[in-house]
PDB file of all heavy atoms in Angstrom:
ATOM      1  N   MET A 423      85.265  92.895 120.536  1.00 78.00           N
ATOM      2  CA  MET A 423      86.573  93.183 121.120  1.00 78.00           C
ATOM      3  C   MET A 423      87.394  94.105 120.217  1.00 78.00           C
ATOM      4  O   MET A 423      88.047  95.035 120.708  1.00 78.00           O
ATOM      5  CB  MET A 423      87.336  91.877 121.371  1.00 78.00           C
ATOM      6  CG  MET A 423      86.819  91.073 122.546  1.00 78.00           C
ATOM      7  SD  MET A 423      87.885  89.672 122.960  1.00 78.00           S
ATOM      8  CE  MET A 423      89.359  90.526 123.524  1.00 78.00           C
ATOM      9  N   THR A 424      87.373  93.848 118.916  1.00 79.00           N
ATOM     10  CA  THR A 424      88.145  94.715 118.032  1.00 79.00           C
ATOM     11  C   THR A 424      87.575  96.124 118.009  1.00 79.00           C
ATOM     12  O   THR A 424      88.334  97.105 117.943  1.00 79.00           O
ATOM     13  CB  THR A 424      88.173  94.146 116.609  1.00 79.00           C
ATOM     14  OG1 THR A 424      86.825  93.852 116.172  1.00 79.00           O
ATOM     15  CG2 THR A 424      88.995  92.874 116.549  1.00 79.00           C
ATOM     16  N   GLN A 425      86.253  96.260 118.098  1.00 78.00           N
ATOM     17  CA  GLN A 425      85.648  97.578 118.107  1.00 78.00           C
ATOM     18  C   GLN A 425      85.948  98.332 119.412  1.00 78.00           C
ATOM     19  O   GLN A 425      86.412  99.470 119.395  1.00 78.00           O
ATOM     20  CB  GLN A 425      84.133  97.462 117.922  1.00 78.00           C
ATOM     21  CG  GLN A 425      83.693  97.120 116.511  1.00 78.00           C
ATOM     22  CD  GLN A 425      83.772  98.306 115.586  1.00 78.00           C
ATOM     23  OE1 GLN A 425      84.763  98.515 114.904  1.00 78.00           O
ATOM     24  NE2 GLN A 425      82.729  99.103 115.558  1.00 78.00           N
ATOM     25  N   ASN A 426      85.680  97.683 120.537  1.00 79.00           N
ATOM     26  CA  ASN A 426      85.816  98.355 121.831  1.00 79.00           C
ATOM     27  C   ASN A 426      87.270  98.493 122.266  1.00 79.00           C
ATOM     28  O   ASN A 426      87.710  99.582 122.661  1.00 79.00           O
ATOM     29  CB  ASN A 426      85.018  97.589 122.901  1.00 79.00           C
ATOM     30  CG  ASN A 426      83.530  97.733 122.722  1.00 79.00           C
ATOM     31  OD1 ASN A 426      82.952  98.781 122.976  1.00 79.00           O
ATOM     32  ND2 ASN A 426      82.882  96.678 122.269  1.00 79.00           N
ATOM     33  N   LEU A 427      88.011  97.383 122.217  1.00 80.00           N
ATOM     34  CA  LEU A 427      89.416  97.462 122.607  1.00 80.00           C
ATOM     35  C   LEU A 427      90.212  98.302 121.614  1.00 80.00           C
ATOM     36  O   LEU A 427      91.177  98.973 121.998  1.00 80.00           O
ATOM     37  CB  LEU A 427      90.017  96.062 122.710  1.00 80.00           C
ATOM     38  CG  LEU A 427      89.467  95.183 123.838  1.00 80.00           C
ATOM     39  CD1 LEU A 427      90.201  93.848 123.876  1.00 80.00           C
ATOM     40  CD2 LEU A 427      89.590  95.875 125.183  1.00 80.00           C
ATOM     41  N   GLY A 428      89.809  98.283 120.330  1.00 80.00           N
ATOM     42  CA  GLY A 428      90.458  99.155 119.359  1.00 80.00           C
ATOM     43  C   GLY A 428      90.251 100.613 119.698  1.00 80.00           C
ATOM     44  O   GLY A 428      91.170 101.434 119.549  1.00 80.00           O
ATOM     45  N   GLY A 429      89.047 100.963 120.161  1.00 81.00           N
ATOM     46  CA  GLY A 429      88.797 102.331 120.582  1.00 81.00           C
ATOM     47  C   GLY A 429      89.639 102.729 121.787  1.00 81.00           C
ATOM     48  O   GLY A 429      90.216 103.820 121.830  1.00 81.00           O
ATOM     49  N   LEU A 430      89.701 101.839 122.791  1.00 83.00           N
ATOM     50  CA  LEU A 430      90.536 102.118 123.968  1.00 83.00           C
ATOM     51  C   LEU A 430      92.009 102.216 123.593  1.00 83.00           C
ATOM     52  O   LEU A 430      92.719 103.126 124.049  1.00 83.00           O
ATOM     53  CB  LEU A 430      90.347 101.014 125.017  1.00 83.00           C
ATOM     54  CG  LEU A 430      89.144 101.098 125.943  1.00 83.00           C
ATOM     55  CD1 LEU A 430      89.192  99.958 126.953  1.00 83.00           C
ATOM     56  CD2 LEU A 430      89.087 102.425 126.681  1.00 83.00           C
ATOM     57  N   LEU A 431      92.468 101.279 122.763  1.00 84.00           N
ATOM     58  CA  LEU A 431      93.872 101.284 122.357  1.00 84.00           C
ATOM     59  C   LEU A 431      94.201 102.533 121.548  1.00 84.00           C
ATOM     60  O   LEU A 431      95.261 103.146 121.730  1.00 84.00           O
ATOM     61  CB  LEU A 431      94.173 100.026 121.545  1.00 84.00           C
ATOM     62  CG  LEU A 431      95.613  99.858 121.034  1.00 84.00           C
ATOM     63  CD1 LEU A 431      96.592  99.827 122.194  1.00 84.00           C
ATOM     64  CD2 LEU A 431      95.751  98.603 120.191  1.00 84.00           C
ATOM     65  N   GLY A 432      93.287 102.930 120.653  1.00 83.00           N
ATOM     66  CA  GLY A 432      93.520 104.130 119.868  1.00 83.00           C
ATOM     67  C   GLY A 432      93.613 105.373 120.730  1.00 83.00           C
ATOM     68  O   GLY A 432      94.512 106.208 120.553  1.00 83.00           O
ATOM     69  N   SER A 433      92.685 105.510 121.687  1.00 83.00           N
ATOM     70  CA  SER A 433      92.734 106.674 122.586  1.00 83.00           C
ATOM     71  C   SER A 433      94.002 106.670 123.423  1.00 83.00           C
ATOM     72  O   SER A 433      94.612 107.729 123.660  1.00 83.00           O
ATOM     73  CB  SER A 433      91.500 106.669 123.495  1.00 83.00           C
ATOM     74  OG  SER A 433      90.313 106.781 122.738  1.00 83.00           O
ATOM     75  N   ALA A 434      94.413 105.482 123.885  1.00 85.00           N
ATOM     76  CA  ALA A 434      95.640 105.390 124.671  1.00 85.00           C
ATOM     77  C   ALA A 434      96.860 105.780 123.844  1.00 85.00           C
ATOM     78  O   ALA A 434      97.748 106.511 124.316  1.00 85.00           O
ATOM     79  CB  ALA A 434      95.802 103.976 125.227  1.00 85.00           C
ATOM     80  N   LEU A 435      96.921 105.315 122.589  1.00 85.00           N
ATOM     81  CA  LEU A 435      98.052 105.664 121.733  1.00 85.00           C
ATOM     82  C   LEU A 435      98.070 107.151 121.416  1.00 85.00           C
ATOM     83  O   LEU A 435      99.131 107.794 121.457  1.00 85.00           O
ATOM     84  CB  LEU A 435      97.992 104.845 120.440  1.00 85.00           C
ATOM     85  CG  LEU A 435      98.306 103.356 120.560  1.00 85.00           C
ATOM     86  CD1 LEU A 435      98.113 102.660 119.218  1.00 85.00           C
ATOM     87  CD2 LEU A 435      99.736 103.147 121.047  1.00 85.00           C
ATOM     88  N   VAL A 436      96.911 107.704 121.079  1.00 83.00           N
ATOM     89  CA  VAL A 436      96.835 109.140 120.774  1.00 83.00           C
ATOM     90  C   VAL A 436      97.290 109.965 121.972  1.00 83.00           C
ATOM     91  O   VAL A 436      98.113 110.882 121.842  1.00 83.00           O
ATOM     92  CB  VAL A 436      95.403 109.520 120.358  1.00 83.00           C
ATOM     93  CG1 VAL A 436      95.228 111.035 120.368  1.00 83.00           C
ATOM     94  CG2 VAL A 436      95.094 108.978 118.978  1.00 83.00           C
ATOM     95  N   GLY A 437      96.769 109.630 123.152  1.00 84.00           N
ATOM     96  CA  GLY A 437      97.143 110.386 124.342  1.00 84.00           C
ATOM     97  C   GLY A 437      98.609 110.242 124.704  1.00 84.00           C
ATOM     98  O   GLY A 437      99.281 111.217 125.073  1.00 84.00           O
ATOM     99  N   THR A 438      99.131 109.023 124.580  1.00 88.00           N
ATOM    100  CA  THR A 438     100.532 108.782 124.942  1.00 88.00           C
ATOM    101  C   THR A 438     101.485 109.499 123.995  1.00 88.00           C
ATOM    102  O   THR A 438     102.428 110.172 124.425  1.00 88.00           O
ATOM    103  CB  THR A 438     100.821 107.275 124.942  1.00 88.00           C
ATOM    104  OG1 THR A 438      99.948 106.630 125.870  1.00 88.00           O
ATOM    105  CG2 THR A 438     102.259 107.009 125.344  1.00 88.00           C
TER     106      THR A 438
END
Side-chain angles (χ1 to χ4, degrees):
M423 286 188 66
T424 51
Q425 286 283 94
N426 289 287
L427 293 183
L430 278 183
L431 180 60
S433 298
L435 289 176
V436 166
T438 301

